[in-house]
């Protein structure tokens, strides 16, 4: 059977083979997979039937997108606005400055080097020349302390796998060093510039034949290595491994004084880690003494349990300052002397309501701290030794994207953005004692002029809103420090949830507007204001209202907010998001048939769960790279690290949490339970990519097949007329490193689909 919807024709959905021999047993409940027997075979990306299924889905989606009349206008307009210069904050190493820059439509940003901030900039590394289609990206880089060498990681097709190369900065000569099978790693140089620490996994058995990024096997046995320049990877020193705990992951940082290497050990994405240290300056024979040997580095255990997160901020010989959430869910700063490891002193107490997002040492004995206060950033200068307050740094409502600072420098840089600020890089000088801030660079989008808008405040009947005006747009930021009962919408259990709303100013509150609601709600990640070309285009040319709901599960209010939306309490995330949608309808911004929800990764799960639980509340759904099979996610690539948020189906108690919301296992026919009230699933686009080795494509493919089967092909004259389609990108991954043109094309595709499903017309 097919589906007849807004696309104006009968959709013939591809059928996935049903396999009656497949039967999973979850604590005696075999019936869980009874209606899903056919989808297990979609877990093998190399199987011919999976490839054919994907090809047919691509053809189906193309046929739908060809009917979306705003598609080319969106592509043209987004491309035009995307074509503007973009910069990242500069960073200093040795006597040189480095920064990233994209002239506008370059596939990947380019790394530049200059001798001074006003000196001539030269291209150091341009990844755009490494592939014809721009799918090779620069995923990480690290410059040696003396600025003589650049170590950089290259990723192909968006995969998490990285290959590290080395370049001499002076003459831009690429050395022969090539380090493979690197994943979830940083690069940390020793101060003698002889080499660096990095992490990798063992060589896969498939090595030669493997198209890295398409495999699904679990990532196990992370290892820490040290690489000497000019040597083969086979000669690298194995510094740490833990075969008894194959799921553990490692990270290493050399301290600012070059004396210690710190080893961070984690077992999942939870905000906890062990912390070991090694004095590399006191090793007999130095690191060279470990060449060819079997001994690991003699790390000393400072923290040897997973009860909190510890991150080093600075050290003076053996006296270390750490940022931690130990007995402080909103974080604090503490000090400990390695000579007296049992004595910890609080330097900066946990704030009452603000979350300490970051801290970095600057200007000798000062620290720049960044707080998240009601989903807005606050920057302060404090004393490193005492934590005492020194200065506030003025910053608008928005997000701090990047802080580029070193302890030995009195000057540092801050990257800033907001919903209507494409980007500002501030330069701050502390030499005179009082901070002097100025705009170092400002990103300007053609047609937008910051001098044409102002900040205003107004009181509406429903809530207290903050207006930031730009051209025809207005940002409404719900603030916790105002009247709580008026500014937050209540969730199902009464918890007040903040939400940002971006809309054209003076819109009538009559429910007539297309609306895009975005959410995430997981892994302690905060969703803060940021600039988006495509969303600006939606507001300006489709009359859309854009919203971000800061639901539980995120990090907006610290660990307690996060834990209130994880494990047994994961349902709170979905309740919060559904309540956000209900608020937008009741307040007159939109109505269900004009409301689209969107989310990616954990946010893709959010969208999948919400359309199962309230299919009547939405007109369209865009689910990107979502974790859709909550019973089996831990079996693939790095999925085992997510059990801290989702639990694991192998544990019976946790299985009973998961089975209630897993998108794959809760697809149903709403018209069967309410025959008196015609209801179907919203028009849905499920997006994935063939080289996504973070949330592997099988999650999206299985949900796509299940929805099409349960709602459409298994039902004679199905009431499900809204289309259920999948957009499957080639040579792309979870999102990082995606070339500019692919980002533009995807935005045009998903938002033209949204526009057609919501009945939104183009506004010139």
């Amino acid at each position: 059977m097919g589906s007849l919807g807004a696309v104006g024709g009968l959709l013939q959905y591809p059928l996935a083979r049903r396999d009656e021999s497949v039967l999973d047993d979850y604590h005696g409940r075999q019936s869980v997979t009874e209606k899903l027997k056919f989808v297990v075979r979609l877990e093998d990306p190399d199987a011919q039937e999976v490839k054919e299924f994907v090809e047919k889905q691509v053809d189906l989606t193309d046929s739908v997108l060809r009917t979306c009349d705003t598609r080319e206008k969106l592509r043209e307009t987004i491309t035009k606005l995307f074509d503007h210069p973009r910069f990242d904050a500069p960073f200093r190493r040795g006597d040189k400055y480095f920064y990233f820059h994209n002239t506008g439509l370059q596939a990947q940003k380019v790394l530049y080097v200059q001798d001074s901030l006003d000196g001539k900039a030269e291209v150091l590394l341009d990844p755009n020349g490494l592939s014809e289609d721009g799918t090779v990206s620069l995923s990480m880089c690290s410059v040696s302390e003396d600025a003589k060498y650049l170590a950089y990681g290259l990723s192909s097709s968006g995969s998490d796998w990285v290959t590290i190369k080395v370049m001499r900065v002076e003459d831009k000569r690429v050395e022969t060093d090539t380090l493979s099978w690197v994943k979830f790693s940083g690069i940390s140089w020793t101060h003698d510039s002889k080499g660096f620490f990095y992490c990798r996994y063992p060589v896969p058995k498939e090595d030669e034949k493997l198209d890295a990024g398409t495999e699904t096997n679990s990532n196990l046995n992370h290892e820490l290595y040290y690489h000497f320049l000019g040597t083969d990877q086979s000669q690298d020193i194995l510094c740490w491994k833990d075969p008894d705990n194959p799921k553990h992951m490692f990270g290493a940082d050399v301290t600012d004084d070059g004396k210690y290497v710190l080893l961070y050990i984690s077992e999942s994405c939870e905000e906890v880690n062990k912390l070991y240290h090694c004095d590399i300056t006191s090793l007999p024979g130095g690191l060279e003494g470990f060449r060819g040997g079997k001994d690991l580095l003699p790390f000393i255990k400072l923290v040897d349990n997973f009860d909190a997160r510890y991150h080093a901020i600075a050290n003076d010989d053996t006296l270390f300052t750490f940022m931690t959430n130990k007995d402080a869910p909103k974080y604090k700063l503490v000090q400990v002397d390695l000579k007296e490891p049992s004595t910890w002193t609080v330097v900066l107490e946990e704030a009452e309501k603000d979350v300490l997002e970051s801290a970095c040492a600057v200007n000798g004995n000062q620290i720049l701290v960044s707080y998240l206060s009601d989903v807005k950033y606050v920057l302060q200068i404090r004393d490193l030794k005492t934590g005492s307050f020194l200065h506030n740094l003025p910053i608008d409502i928005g997000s701090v994207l990047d802080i580029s600072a070193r302890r030995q420098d009195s000057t540092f840089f801050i990257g800033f953005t907001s919903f209507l600020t494409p980007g500002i890089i501030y330069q701050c000088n502390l030499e005179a004692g009082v901070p002097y801030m100025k705009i170092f660079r400002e990103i300007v989008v053609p047609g937008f002029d910051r001098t044409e808008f102002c900040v205003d405040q107004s009181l509406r009947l429903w809530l207290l809103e903050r207006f930031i005006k730009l051209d025809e747009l207005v940002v409404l930021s719900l603030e916790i420090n105002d009247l709580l009962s008026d500014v937050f919408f209540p969730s199902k259990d009464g918890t007040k949830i903040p939400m940002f709303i971006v809309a054209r100013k003076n819109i009538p509150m009559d429910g007539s507007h297309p609306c895009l609601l975005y959410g995430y709600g997981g892994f302690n990640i905060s969703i803060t204001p940021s600039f988006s070309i495509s969303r600006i285009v939606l507001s300006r040319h489709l009359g859309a209202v854009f919203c971000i709901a800061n639901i539980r599960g995120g990090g907006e209010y610290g660990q307690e907010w996060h834990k209130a939306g994880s494990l047994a309490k994961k349902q709170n995330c979905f309740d919060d998001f559904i309540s956000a949608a209900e608020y937008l309808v009741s307040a007159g911004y939109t109505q269900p048939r004009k409301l689209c929800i969107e989310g990616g990764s954990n946010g893709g799960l959010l969208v999948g769960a919400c359309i199962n639980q309230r299919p009547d509340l939405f007109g369209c759904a865009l689910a990107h790279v979502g974790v859709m099979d909550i019973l089996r996610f831990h079996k693939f690539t790095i999925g085992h690290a997510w059990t801290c948020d989702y639990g694991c189906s192998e544990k019976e108690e946790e299985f009973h949490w998961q089975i209630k919301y897993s998108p794959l296992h809760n697809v149903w026919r709403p018209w069967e339970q309410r025959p008196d009230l015609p209801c179907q699933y919203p028009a849905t686009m499920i997006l994935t990519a063939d080289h996504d080795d973070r949330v592997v494509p099988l999650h999206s493919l299985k949900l796509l097949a299940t929805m099409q089967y349960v709602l459409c092909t298994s039902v004679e004259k199905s009431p499900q007329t809204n289309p259920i389609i999948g957009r499957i990108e080639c040579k792309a991954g979870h999102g990082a490193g995606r070339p500019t043109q692919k980002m533009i094309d995807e935005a045009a595709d998903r938002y033209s689909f949204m526009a057609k499903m919501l009945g939104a017309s183009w506004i010139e």
Side-chain angles (χ1 to χ4, degrees):
M1 300 300 294
S3 173
L4 181 65
V7 295
L10 189 67
L11 297 183
Q12 297 296 330
Y13 291 111
L15 293 176
R17 180 170 63 89
R18 294 175 67 82
D19 190 341
E20 300 297 331
S21 67
V22 177
L23 190 63
D24 292 330
D25 188 320
Y26 291 99
H27 313 286
R29 287 188 56 176
Q30 291 185 332
S31 61
V32 168
T33 55
E34 195 66 30
K35 67 181 179 182
L36 306 173
K37 290 177 183 177
F38 67 94
V39 299
V40 177
R41 295 306 181 200
L42 294 177
E43 291 182 350
D44 180 4
D46 296 321
Q48 185 60 34
E49 62 184 343
V50 175
K51 293 179 180 179
E52 292 175 358
F53 177 79
V54 168
E55 290 173 0
K56 292 176 181 178
Q57 294 291 348
V58 170
D59 290 342
L60 174 68
T61 299
D62 285 345
S63 71
V64 172
L65 291 176
R66 283 195 294 270
T67 71
C68 300
D69 52 8
T70 61
R71 187 185 187 193
E72 292 309 315
K73 290 182 179 179
L74 279 168
R75 193 193 321 275
E76 178 184 348
T77 306
I78 293 172
T79 300
K80 183 178 179 181
L81 289 179
F82 234 106
D83 192 7
H84 65 275
R86 298 182 293 283
F87 297 86
D88 289 354
F91 60 95
R92 191 177 185 182
R93 293 293 181 273
D95 58 354
K96 299 182 184 297
Y97 287 90
F98 302 82
Y99 67 92
F100 286 96
H101 170 50
N102 190 313
T103 57
L105 295 178
Q106 288 176 290
Q108 304 288 343
K109 58 187 179 182
V110 178
L111 180 61
Y112 288 78
V113 61
Q114 55 189 160
D115 291 332
S116 63
L117 290 175
D118 55 1
K120 180 183 178 182
E122 297 181 353
V123 172
L124 180 59
L125 179 60
D126 183 358
N128 294 294
L130 301 178
S131 61
E132 292 184 2
D133 57 5
T135 56
V136 173
S137 64
L138 183 59
S139 61
M140 60 180 177
C141 72
S142 180
V143 179
S144 62
E145 201 67 19
D146 57 10
K148 289 185 178 180
Y149 294 98
L150 166 72
Y152 58 96
L154 299 176
S155 170
S156 296
S157 302
S159 169
D160 282 334
W161 288 115
V162 171
T163 300
I164 295 178
K165 304 285 291 182
V166 177
M167 174 187 287
R168 290 202 322 192
V169 173
E170 183 179 4
D171 57 8
K172 304 177 182 60
R173 189 181 80 180
V174 178
E175 304 286 15
T176 57
D177 306 61
T178 301
L179 311 183
S180 303
W181 303 114
V182 178
K183 184 184 274 195
F184 310 131
S185 174
I187 299 172
S188 190
W189 289 86
T190 47
H191 284 207
D192 57 12
S193 297
K194 291 183 179 180
F196 50 83
F197 294 94
Y198 73 99
C199 295
R200 55 165 293 184
Y201 284 99
V203 178
K205 295 178 181 179
E206 305 92 338
D207 190 12
E208 296 295 328
K209 302 177 182 178
L210 183 64
D211 181 7
T214 62
E215 76 287 351
T216 63
N217 53 294
S218 199
N219 297 139
L220 300 172
N221 296 304
H222 212 214
E223 297 171 332
L224 172 66
Y225 283 87
Y226 183 82
H227 174 72
F228 282 99
L229 293 187
T231 65
D232 188 80
Q233 186 176 17
S234 62
Q235 300 177 38
D236 289 354
I237 297 172
L238 176 59
C239 301
W240 193 258
K241 65 177 180 178
D242 189 355
D244 292 335
N245 295 285
K247 295 179 181 179
H248 283 187
M249 294 176 288
F250 311 121
D253 281 330
V254 176
T255 53
D256 286 345
D257 60 4
K259 184 175 181 178
Y260 296 94
V261 58
L262 301 179
L263 173 62
Y264 298 92
I265 303 174
S266 61
E267 61 179 350
S268 69
C269 291
E270 190 174 1
E271 294 280 293
V272 297
N273 62 270
K274 296 181 179 182
L275 179 62
Y276 302 169
H277 60 88
C278 177
D279 183 349
I280 53 179
T281 64
S282 64
L283 296 173
L287 287 167
E288 288 91 341
F290 287 82
R291 284 187 173 185
K294 295 184 178 180
D295 292 337
L296 304 178
L297 289 191
F299 282 101
I300 297 173
K301 300 175 181 179
L302 179 62
V303 178
D304 197 30
N305 52 55
F306 292 116
D307 69 339
R309 182 190 178 215
Y310 298 86
H311 177 72
I313 304 303
N315 74 293
D316 290 296
D317 195 19
T318 58
L319 182 63
F320 275 75
T321 302
F322 290 101
M323 179 173 157
T324 182
N325 57 4
K326 173 69 172 176
D327 301 321
K330 295 181 178 65
Y331 285 88
K332 63 185 178 183
L333 298 184
V334 297
Q335 286 184 345
V336 64
D337 194 317
L338 300 185
K339 297 175 182 177
E340 300 178 21
S342 62
T343 303
W344 295 72
T345 304
V346 176
V347 176
L348 179 58
E349 294 281 2
E350 177 189 25
E352 182 180 348
K353 68 169 186 175
D354 297 342
V355 181
L356 181 60
E357 285 280 292
S358 68
C360 55
V362 295
N363 198 33
N365 289 318
Q366 296 177 343
I367 46 174
L368 169 62
V369 296
S370 171
Y371 284 101
L372 194 60
S373 177
D374 306 330
V375 206
K376 302 180 296 294
Y377 281 81
V378 175
L379 297 179
Q380 298 174 349
I381 302 294
R382 289 180 173 266
D383 185 272
L384 176 61
K385 303 297 183 183
T386 66
S388 59
F389 173 82
L390 298 175
H391 307 283
N392 265 322
L393 298 183
I395 198 164
D396 293 335
I397 297 173
S399 300
V400 173
L401 287 177
D402 182 31
I403 295 176
S404 174
R406 300 190 304 175
R407 185 173 181 179
Q408 62 263 47
D409 295 334
S410 59
T411 298
F412 59 89
F413 300 89
I414 302 165
F416 173 83
T417 186
S418 70
F419 287 119
L420 302 175
T421 304
I424 297 175
I425 299 171
Y426 291 103
Q427 181 179 356
C428 184
N429 194 315
L430 299 175
E431 243 175 357
V434 177
Y436 172 68
M437 280 185 67
K438 68 175 184 178
I439 293 178
F440 176 70
R441 282 195 178 109
E442 183 170 4
I443 298 171
V444 178
V445 176
F448 291 86
D449 184 353
R450 295 188 79 246
T451 64
E452 294 180 0
F453 70 90
C454 61
V455 178
D456 191 14
Q457 289 186 341
S458 177
L459 183 65
R460 281 185 181 268
L461 294 176
W462 299 281
L463 49 101
L464 188 64
E465 303 162 325
R466 183 184 300 277
F467 291 73
I468 303 175
K469 301 182 179 179
L470 175 61
D471 200 27
E472 297 180 316
L473 302 176
V474 149
V475 174
L476 316 175
S477 167
L478 313 190
E479 297 183 42
I480 190 172
N481 58 351
D482 292 317
L483 303 176
L484 282 175
S485 60
D486 293 330
V487 300
F488 278 18
F489 65 86
S491 188
K492 183 178 181 179
D493 63 1
T495 301
K496 301 295 184 179
I497 311 296
M499 179 161 58
F500 289 101
I501 303 173
V502 182
R504 297 164 69 97
K505 62 180 180 179
N506 300 323
I507 60 172
M509 306 296 283
D510 58 2
S512 63
H513 315 288
C515 184
L516 177 63
L517 173 61
Y518 182 89
Y520 186 78
F523 297 97
N524 203 47
I525 293 173
S526 304
I527 305 299
T528 58
S530 63
F531 186 79
S532 166
I533 289 290
S534 57
R535 290 166 182 167
I536 291 296
V537 171
L538 295 185
S539 293
R540 175 177 280 179
H541 293 288
L542 293 177
V545 176
F546 167 64
C547 313
I548 290 180
N550 296 110
I551 62 178
R552 284 172 287 183
E556 288 85 351
Y557 296 100
Q559 282 289 86
E560 293 168 344
W561 192 256
H562 166 225
K563 291 180 179 180
S566 62
L567 298 176
K569 298 179 180 179
K570 189 64 182 175
Q571 181 59 40
N572 284 338
C573 302
F574 316 132
D575 290 342
D576 292 354
F577 203 56
I578 288 169
S579 296
E582 291 174 333
Y583 168 81
L584 292 169
V585 172
S586 65
Y589 285 101
T590 191
Q591 54 186 288
R593 68 181 182 85
K594 288 186 171 291
L595 176 58
C596 176
I597 53 174
E598 182 175 25
S601 196
N602 178 77
L605 157 65
L606 173 70
V607 171
C610 286
I611 60 176
N612 279 337
Q613 295 183 18
R614 284 296 304 276
D616 60 305
L617 189 54
F618 316 109
C620 184
L622 306 173
H624 303 243
V625 293
V627 186
M628 303 305 191
D629 186 349
I630 297 299
L631 301 187
R632 290 174 59 81
F633 71 86
H634 59 287
K635 296 178 179 291
F636 310 107
T637 62
I638 198 60
H640 57 77
W642 312 333
T643 56
C644 58
D645 258 46
Y646 303 143
C648 180
S649 61
E650 293 172 12
K651 299 178 180 179
E652 185 168 3
E653 179 187 6
E654 297 175 5
F655 162 77
H656 288 294
W657 306 338
Q658 295 176 329
I659 192 60
K660 294 177 182 177
Y661 71 82
S662 176
L664 180 64
H665 301 90
N666 285 280
V667 179
W668 61 295
R669 299 169 185 140
W671 56 84
E672 291 182 347
Q673 292 191 17
R674 293 294 303 274
D676 58 319
L677 183 64
C679 180
Q680 59 174 311
Y681 271 62
T684 301
M685 176 184 282
I686 299 172
L687 299 94
T688 188
D690 63 349
H691 281 73
D692 186 350
D693 48 359
R694 186 84 57 85
V695 181
V696 288
L698 62 89
H699 284 278
S700 295
L701 298 182
K702 288 161 68 173
L703 180 61
L704 183 63
T706 300
M707 290 181 67
Q708 290 175 346
Y709 174 77
V710 173
L711 299 173
C712 303
T713 58
S714 63
V715 181
E716 189 75 25
K717 296 182 180 179
S718 172
Q720 180 65 38
T721 58
N722 291 329
I724 310 293
I725 62 173
R727 189 186 189 278
I728 305 166
E729 182 70 80
C730 293
K731 298 190 73 176
H734 198 60
R738 189 163 296 194
T740 299
Q741 192 58 55
K742 281 187 179 291
M743 290 192 291
I744 293 172
D745 290 343
E746 185 192 273
D749 285 355
R750 71 181 190 265
Y751 290 138
S752 63
F753 176 75
M754 179 195 81
K756 189 171 187 68
M757 297 305 112
L758 302 186
S761 301
W762 187 262
I763 303 169
E764 294 294 346

